[in-house]
Amino acid sequence: MVRTPLTPEERLRGERLGALLRAARGERSMAAVAASAGISAETLRKIETGRAPTPAFFTVAALAGALGLSMDEILGRCAAEPVAASAPARSAVPAAVPLIA
């Protein structure tokens, strides 16, 4: 399978994510944080250095949990444009679809 090349924005977002994770990790070892997140130290190394600029959602979520970060914080710090805190939330479910309780 051929992977489409990343855009400059995607690469920049990956660099921001790596820098944020490195800063949040602080003095903790890469191996300890990776084990806590349930990923390999090599995967964390690739994300932190930008060699894996688009990690899977669940990988990012696991790292967020291991590092005490919220997904909102990660999005706000890594998005191409700052995400406004006062922006109205959009529902993932269209209004016409009734919710089943």
Side-chain angles (χ1 to χ4, degrees):
M1 178 163 93
V2 176
R3 185 172 178 162
T4 9
L6 297 174
T7 65
E9 293 81 18
E10 289 170 324
R11 290 190 183 282
L12 181 58
R13 188 174 54 232
E15 290 171 10
R16 288 182 187 140
L17 175 62
L20 174 61
L21 295 178
R22 270 191 312 278
R25 183 166 56 83
E27 296 297 316
R28 290 180 277 182
S29 75
M30 193 175 283
V33 171
S36 177
I39 64 172
S40 71
E42 182 59 24
T43 296
L44 180 54
R45 181 177 292 108
K46 286 178 181 177
I47 295 168
E48 285 189 359
T49 60
R51 288 188 356 217
T54 57
F57 172 81
F58 290 105
T59 300
V60 175
L63 285 167
L67 293 169
L69 298 170
S70 73
M71 293 299 283
D72 287 335
E73 183 177 5
I74 291 174
L75 175 63
R77 306 255 318 260
C78 298
E81 295 179 16
V83 178
S86 61
R90 290 186 280 164
S91 174
V93 179
V97 178
L99 298 175
I100 299 172

